[in-house]
Amino acid sequence: MSNSTASRNHKYRALRWSAAVVGILAVSGLGIYYFTPPDVTSLLQNAKLETARGNHRESLKLAECVLAWEPDNVSALTVAGDTCFLLDDFDRALGYFRRVPVGDSPKAVHAQLRCGRIEMHHVGNAVAAESHFRTALRFVPDDRNALFQLASLLGIQARRNEAVPLILRLFRQGAFNRDLLALLEMQNTALYNVAELNRYRNASPDSPAILVGLAWHARLAKDDAKALGLLKRAKRGNPRFAEARVALATVLWDLGQYDTLRRLLAESQSLEIDETRLWVVRGKLAERDGQVRAAFRCFGEAFHRDQTQQVAAYKLLRFVTESKNHKSVDAFERRTEEIQSLREQTDYVASKEHTDLTPVRRLVEQLVNVGRLWEAWGWCQVALGAFPETRWAAVRSQSLHAQLQKAPLTLVCRPDTTLNLDLSELPLPKWEVGPTQRQQPLALAKSAVTFRDDAETAGLVFPYFNSPGSPGEGQRMYEWGGGGCAILDFDSDGWPDLYFTQGCRWPVKVDESEHIDRLFRNLGNGRFADVTSSAGLLENRFSAGVTVGDFDNDGFDDIYVANIGGNRLLHNNGDGTFDDCTDKAGVSDPRWSTSCVMADLNGDALPDIYSVNYLKGPSIFETVCKHDDGRPRTCLPFHFPAAQDQLYLNLGDGRFANVTESSGVDVPNGKGLGLVAADWEGNGKLSLFVANDTVSNFFLRNQGSQPDGTPTFQEQGVLMGIALNGEGKAESCMGVAIGDADEDGDLDVFVTNFLRETNTLYRSTTGLVFDDVTRKSGLADSSLAMLGFGTQFLDADLDGRLDLLVANGHIDDYSRYGRPYKMSAQFFWNMKSGRFAAQSADRVGPYFSRRLLGRSLARVDWNRDGREDAVVSHLDQPIALLTNTTQPSGRFVSIRLRGVRSSRDAVGTTVVVQTEKGTVSRQLTAGDGYQASNERVLVFGLSNAKQIVRIQIHWPAGTIDTFDGFDDTNREYLIVEGTGRALRLP
């Protein structure tokens, strides 16, 4: 072997050894790496540093390195989960967080919260999210994040009752959120939009809670069938899920499905539910079924759980009134008024942003008054958020928060002990569950009544002028009211004439002459003539309502016109002309007047004047409000304060004295639109009913006169059951009709209301107390899709029962939001005892198929054929003269009255006509509803009776005239008080 070869071999051996050493070292290093644990603490610290620097992927690698050695390392799982969350890799984040053991450690709670948030906001699994949030709260009951997330989740699903204690725990900690404050005020609705719930449904299609939330959205969209289907499916999915049963019971009641509701309430799972809303439904159904004592028991149970429950408070006021529990009457009347006032103030505050915090401060005080301190504190936070330097809010907030630290987690945390009632001795309701009763719908009951619009052929052409603003700028408040109509016999020829009020260009100008009120003379031959000019009339203000009366008892009808900014009294000179005597009389009410009445209110035989006023405010006639999407809209009544009604006492010398303050009619917060005057008590004293818009109606009960002749009134609407509907809620009331709807001899009251509110029929009962019998009468469902204005009772087919006419039309065009604008008028036939059936337009006449903006409606027999007709005003079309063309119809007697000891107009006179078939009672009333004045004639439908046995007349002055043995029917008579004669008119 050569030296060179040996040298090469030596080098190769050296290289092999070197390679072997390197290999050994490499293997040793790998062993150390894989079999020697890393410094976990350092790795986690580095991971957190990388996270802080925004290097999320580096942070994740380090956390995963730890997990390779320690798969159950809670800190590493948390870091990995948080990092994936920040990288929007939510599936991997869930995987890590789910591996964290459940427990009370901060990291375990954090993992549950992260899982809940991911499931709720990213995966869309509300069921899983709720489970995670509840698990976190099990270990840390006051965790703000968990409380907020779970409360929001429950709110989206319309589970307000479950969310309330969570929200209040947040408030106790001083954690405030405006959305959660709104959730405290909501019932039977779901937070946010329906898309969120549908996303949840994709993950959990059979979740009862999600189905309930979707059902309330369906109700909001007026899809009742879908809502019912969802609620029934939710109940089947979990028969013990209380919210599904409560919601289903509520909807079944609203839809009038009483048989199904009885079966639901009789189920054992329903009987176990102790929840305020369900107690209310139980009470309402029991009341409908005639279980009156059991109904009061249910309302008492509801009120015990929530002293601000509106329906329960109102029903219990009726209970203590009937029980003559005078101490409790005062307390419950006060609470009912407090609840209504609170609702009005809440609507007002929520309606717009306020630069002046006075409304918010008033709301806080009202909440404190009823014991809802949590919400009062919340509204203090709202005030401070808008204006941090507001001292009253800061002081009030601090005081309330101190009180709430030990307050119960209930909405009413300071109950009023004066409202405690022990009704435990009253029975609970029992539901008779049998086969479903299938009754023929009332709407299928058919009458022979027909009407024909004869306005054009009779020469009665009167289009209303509304002074519209520029296109697209929106509608101002005064533009939706429309004109009024009055019936009078200005020339005393026996034929009823017509007066229509007119709008004008805005602002009002003193020299306006293009658009003025109009007087049409009835020529007695089927035609009318416009005699405005020859009568010397130039009423050129923006007119609304109108009334007729003989204020000086000279035998000729005078006119009082309600205007915006200065009413007018027009004196009939007896020669076919009128003089404006407003200034001399002192009756120019400078406010926004709507309706009015001329009638003797103090019993001195001289007609006085009551002027109903609506709203006030410096910008009320210019302001245009907006929808949430920025589009213009008509403002709402609660955007402005109320204007005070006025009472003018007739002094007998052509002058009137304003006795508003001294008479007791100076009642605040009346936003009046409709009015009637009548003698409800049969004592010769006229009381006044005022229909107010969105606030409680007034019943001004006549208490008699003071020594100086001033009449005294006491407002008793709430106590008498006519201020609110049967559920204790104020409605947007406009038109009023008055008459004996159920043939019991008492005066009932029908009021028209806003879209999605039922019109309301109040039945007069013993002791001048009214019951809301709208549902029983068949008048509820037919009015929900309508916005009613003028309305009148009239006996269209002369069968002795009062039927009902209603004019409809919206106040603004919201058709782009799915709401109707122009609407058809409605005729309801009285089948018997105040049960009404809506009649289809194809039966009643073509006018009832027309879509219009109906407003005022007055009753008149313009052609004197004994069949009562009507005249209707519209915003968008000329007036309609609805001639009653019903064939066949019953016999009749028509009576005109003239007072002697009573005022000549004889308002308040009750006439009872007895035939061999029965008795019919009618009263001559005034005011006549929405901006209208009816013909002062009483028409009695006699059906097929051929002879009148007796007519008895009860005059306001106390005189009673009796007439026996009338042989003639289908006749018109004039009867003068105390003469003992009935003059048959040609």
Side-chain angles (χ1 to χ4, degrees):
M1 180 184 299
S2 67
N3 291 332
S4 61
T5 301
S7 176
R8 285 197 298 271
N9 289 338
H10 178 74
K11 290 179 180 178
Y12 289 146
R13 286 195 297 270
L15 287 173
R16 283 198 297 271
W17 278 107
S18 297
V21 170
V22 170
I24 292 169
L25 291 174
V27 172
S28 300
L30 287 173
I32 293 170
Y33 179 82
Y34 282 108
F35 298 104
T36 302
D39 186 350
V40 170
T41 302
S42 297
L43 289 173
L44 289 174
Q45 288 177 346
N46 291 334
K48 292 175 182 178
L49 285 174
E50 296 297 338
T51 299
R53 294 168 182 161
N55 299 325
H56 303 310
R57 297 193 183 281
E58 293 301 320
S59 175
L60 180 59
K61 288 180 181 178
L62 291 169
E64 289 177 335
C65 180
V66 174
L67 291 172
W69 280 92
E70 298 180 12
D72 297 326
N73 187 296
V74 171
S75 295
L77 289 170
T78 304
V79 170
D82 284 335
T83 305
C84 289
F85 182 86
L86 293 172
L87 291 169
D88 292 341
D89 192 348
F90 300 116
D91 289 338
R92 288 181 68 190
L94 273 178
Y96 287 122
F97 286 128
R98 285 172 177 165
R99 289 162 56 185
V100 177
V102 174
D104 59 357
S105 69
K107 289 184 175 60
V109 172
H110 174 78
Q112 291 297 321
L113 292 176
R114 280 293 200 211
C115 286
R117 185 171 178 180
I118 293 170
E119 295 283 12
M120 178 179 175
H121 298 290
H122 303 288
V123 178
N125 190 332
V127 176
E130 179 180 346
S131 176
H132 288 299
F133 292 139
R134 290 193 183 279
T135 299
L137 288 171
R138 179 155 52 94
F139 296 105
V140 189
D142 288 323
D143 185 274
R144 291 189 180 187
N145 189 13
L147 290 170
F148 175 77
Q149 297 288 349
L150 182 55
S152 300
L153 182 62
L154 295 173
I156 294 172
Q157 299 173 79
R159 296 160 66 184
R160 168 184 176 267
N161 277 11
E162 296 176 69
V164 165
L166 307 176
I167 297 170
L168 301 187
R169 276 153 70 179
L170 280 170
F171 282 13
R172 176 176 282 169
Q173 299 176 54
F176 174 74
N177 179 278
R178 182 70 180 268
D179 287 339
L180 297 184
L181 177 61
L183 182 56
L184 292 180
E185 301 165 357
M186 299 166 62
Q187 285 199 49
N188 296 336
T189 188
L191 279 179
Y192 311 123
N193 58 54
V194 69
E196 188 80 356
L197 273 172
N198 279 320
R199 194 168 66 89
Y200 294 163
R201 191 180 184 184
N202 290 334
S204 306
D206 297 318
S207 166
I210 295 171
L211 296 175
V212 169
L214 288 170
W216 286 121
H217 280 290
R219 282 283 283 168
L220 187 64
K222 311 305 293 180
D223 192 342
D224 295 330
K226 180 179 179 180
L228 274 179
L230 290 166
L231 291 173
K232 290 178 179 177
R233 182 176 173 183
K235 183 177 81 79
R236 289 194 302 268
N238 183 355
R240 295 197 172 277
F241 182 49
E243 190 61 37
R245 289 182 173 272
V246 174
L248 180 57
T250 303
V251 173
L252 289 172
W253 168 262
D254 290 342
L255 299 180
Q257 296 189 20
Y258 305 121
D259 287 334
T260 307
L261 177 57
R262 289 187 193 95
R263 288 194 292 272
L264 173 69
L265 295 180
E267 292 176 2
S268 59
Q269 296 93 334
S270 298
L271 294 173
E272 296 170 358
I273 298 175
D274 182 13
E275 203 269 3
T276 303
R277 289 172 297 158
L278 193 61
W279 279 115
V280 171
V281 174
R282 289 168 178 147
K284 290 191 288 190
L285 184 61
E287 184 179 46
R288 185 185 187 280
D289 288 351
Q291 302 183 55
V292 179
R293 285 167 55 80
F296 286 133
R297 168 69 182 278
C298 293
F299 294 131
E301 296 288 347
F303 190 76
H304 175 70
R305 288 152 183 78
D306 180 1
Q307 286 192 348
T308 59
Q309 213 298 320
Q310 198 163 21
V311 179
Y314 195 53
K315 296 296 186 181
L316 290 177
L317 171 60
R318 173 60 56 86
F319 173 76
V320 296
T321 301
E322 293 177 358
S323 304
K324 302 190 184 307
N325 185 341
H326 300 296
K327 182 179 179 180
S328 293
V329 166
D330 292 340
F332 276 91
E333 183 179 14
R334 184 191 71 247
R335 176 48 55 103
T336 299
E337 292 172 345
E338 287 173 342
I339 295 172
Q340 179 55 38
S341 178
L342 176 60
R343 183 188 181 196
E344 294 165 11
Q345 193 66 22
T346 301
D347 288 343
Y348 176 59
V349 169
S351 67
K352 60 180 182 178
E353 295 295 327
H354 298 276
T355 56
D356 175 13
L357 288 179
T358 301
V360 178
R361 185 174 187 176
R362 189 176 298 119
L363 175 59
V364 169
E365 297 308 315
Q366 289 176 329
L367 286 164
V368 170
N369 286 342
V370 298
R372 285 164 59 168
L373 306 187
W374 297 101
E375 291 161 276
W377 177 83
W379 279 107
C380 287
Q381 300 310 111
V382 171
L384 290 171
F387 300 96
E389 302 303 319
T390 307
R391 177 159 177 75
W392 71 261
V395 173
R396 193 58 145 158
S397 173
Q398 186 176 11
S399 171
L400 286 170
H401 204 248
Q403 297 177 55
L404 291 171
Q405 295 310 300
K406 295 183 179 180
L409 297 175
T410 55
L411 284 177
V412 180
C413 57
R414 194 175 65 189
D416 185 344
T417 57
T418 66
L419 296 167
N420 290 340
L421 282 178
D422 184 5
L423 303 181
S424 58
E425 293 185 358
L426 296 180
L428 290 170
K430 296 180 180 179
W431 312 116
E432 298 291 336
V433 181
T436 301
Q437 301 175 7
R438 297 187 179 276
Q439 297 180 347
Q440 183 185 24
L442 294 180
L444 298 181
K446 296 180 173 62
S447 75
V449 173
T450 58
F451 290 91
R452 181 182 64 233
D453 183 2
D454 284 338
E456 187 174 352
T457 58
L460 198 62
V461 179
F462 179 80
Y464 180 76
F465 180 78
N466 205 29
S467 186
S470 302
E473 75 172 7
Q475 189 163 269
R476 293 157 293 182
M477 285 292 289
Y478 66 86
E479 293 182 53
W480 59 255
C485 48
I487 317 300
L488 72 163
D489 184 6
F490 83 98
D491 53 2
S492 295
D493 66 353
W495 291 91
D497 311 305
L498 306 177
Y499 184 96
F500 299 101
T501 67
Q502 179 63 287
C504 65
R505 297 195 184 279
W506 193 268
V508 179
K509 298 179 180 178
V510 295
D511 59 349
E512 163 77 34
S513 61
E514 180 182 3
H515 303 289
I516 61 175
D517 296 4
R518 292 287 171 181
L519 174 64
F520 290 86
R521 179 173 181 251
N522 190 335
L523 303 178
N525 62 358
R527 300 280 297 175
F528 287 84
D530 186 338
V531 296
T532 308
S533 179
S534 61
L537 292 168
L538 186 61
E539 172 47 78
N540 59 357
R541 300 181 187 181
F542 203 103
S543 303
V546 58
T547 192
V548 172
D550 185 2
F551 78 86
D552 56 357
N553 286 331
D554 66 353
F556 296 97
D557 290 338
D558 308 307
I559 303 171
Y560 185 72
V561 182
N563 291 318
I564 297 179
N567 299 343
R568 275 190 171 139
L569 179 60
L570 306 172
H571 177 254
N572 190 334
N573 298 316
D575 60 359
T577 66
F578 290 82
D579 282 338
D580 183 350
C581 64
T582 310
D583 292 339
K584 176 186 175 182
V587 292
S588 178
D589 188 345
R591 298 160 185 82
W592 179 357
S593 299
T594 53
S595 296
C596 48
V597 66
M598 201 184 304
D600 178 17
L601 299 176
N602 65 346
D604 65 355
L606 296 171
D608 311 300
I609 294 175
Y610 188 91
S611 173
V612 172
N613 292 317
Y614 190 39
L615 305 173
K616 64 182 180 180
S619 63
I620 189 170
F621 300 118
E622 292 79 34
T623 302
V624 174
C625 295
K626 294 182 179 180
H627 288 282
D628 292 338
D629 61 8
R631 295 184 181 184
R633 60 164 296 167
T634 298
C635 297
L636 299 174
F638 47 72
H639 290 138
F640 304 97
Q644 175 60 51
D645 297 351
Q646 300 294 304
L647 174 57
Y648 299 96
L649 181 66
N650 193 333
L651 300 178
D653 59 359
R655 296 178 302 125
F656 290 75
N658 190 323
V659 295
T660 303
E661 293 185 11
S662 58
S663 64
V665 303
D666 189 5
V667 183
N669 202 31
K671 301 177 179 181
L673 290 176
L675 168 71
V676 289
D679 178 9
W680 272 274
E681 299 180 81
N683 59 7
K685 300 173 185 177
L686 296 180
S687 296
L688 300 166
F689 173 76
V690 182
N692 288 322
D693 190 4
T694 71
V695 296
S696 300
N697 300 324
F698 292 160
F699 191 96
L700 299 167
R701 193 171 186 177
N702 196 325
Q703 306 292 304
S705 298
Q706 302 172 30
D708 65 354
T710 302
T712 303
F713 294 88
Q714 186 177 13
E715 202 293 295
Q716 297 184 351
V718 171
L719 189 63
M720 295 169 57
I722 201 169
L724 311 168
N725 69 8
E727 298 196 349
K729 299 176 182 177
E731 297 175 299
S732 300
C733 303
M734 285 159 283
V736 187
I738 183 172
D740 182 11
D742 54 0
E743 307 122 55
D744 67 351
D746 296 322
L747 289 176
D748 309 308
V749 180
F750 177 76
V751 180
T752 59
N753 296 316
F754 208 74
L755 183 73
R756 296 179 184 172
E757 294 177 339
T758 68
N759 295 334
T760 306
L761 178 60
Y762 297 97
R763 177 179 178 268
S764 181
T765 65
T766 305
L768 198 55
V769 175
F770 292 88
D771 275 338
D772 179 349
V773 295
T774 310
R775 287 178 178 273
K776 294 179 181 179
S777 67
L779 293 169
D781 293 343
S782 56
S783 60
L784 285 171
M786 296 292 183
L787 195 160
F789 275 92
T791 182
Q792 298 294 340
F793 283 119
L794 75 169
D795 185 355
D797 53 1
L798 299 175
D799 63 355
R801 299 190 290 268
L802 291 177
D803 309 305
L804 193 57
L805 274 173
V806 182
N808 299 300
H810 213 299
I811 62 171
D812 202 349
D813 187 357
Y814 302 144
S815 54
R816 60 182 174 271
Y817 301 108
R819 303 174 198 171
Y821 182 39
K822 298 182 179 182
M823 302 173 181
S824 58
Q826 294 171 293
F827 174 74
F828 297 93
W829 181 51
N830 189 338
M831 297 184 298
K832 192 175 183 181
S833 302
R835 292 277 290 171
F836 291 87
Q839 301 298 289
S840 61
D842 60 345
R843 295 188 61 84
V844 187
Y847 171 79
F848 292 85
S849 64
R850 295 171 60 191
R851 303 289 180 177
L852 302 162
L853 297 177
R855 289 302 183 259
S856 184
L857 192 160
R859 185 179 66 237
V860 59
D861 180 10
W862 77 274
N863 55 10
R864 298 177 68 184
D865 66 354
R867 292 174 295 185
E868 290 184 282
D869 316 304
V871 59
V872 189
S873 70
H874 313 105
L875 283 184
D876 57 329
Q877 294 292 326
I879 63 97
L881 178 64
L882 299 182
T883 302
N884 189 337
T885 55
T886 303
Q887 290 290 350
S889 62
R891 304 179 72 82
F892 74 93
V893 63
S894 183
I895 297 178
R896 299 172 185 262
L897 300 167
R898 296 291 180 267
V900 177
R901 289 179 57 197
S902 308
S903 72
R904 179 183 176 274
D905 294 334
V907 174
T909 302
T910 297
V911 180
V912 181
V913 175
Q914 181 181 350
T915 72
E916 74 272 19
K917 299 290 186 178
T919 300
V920 181
S921 174
R922 299 281 183 264
Q923 186 180 129
L924 188 66
T925 60
D928 303 324
Y930 183 77
Q931 303 183 169
S933 187
N934 293 330
E935 182 181 12
R936 297 286 180 258
V937 175
L938 294 178
V939 177
F940 295 80
L942 307 178
S943 188
N944 58 357
K946 297 180 179 179
Q947 184 179 13
I948 298 173
V949 176
R950 172 173 291 181
I951 295 179
Q952 192 169 72
I953 303 175
H954 300 260
W955 300 89
T959 309
I960 299 177
D961 288 335
T962 302
F963 301 88
D964 294 323
F966 274 72
D967 293 327
D968 288 340
T969 58
N970 288 352
R971 296 290 183 180
E972 187 176 359
Y973 292 90
L974 172 63
I975 298 178
V976 180
E977 181 182 12
T979 63
R981 296 178 56 196
L983 177 64
R984 193 172 80 179
L985 300 177

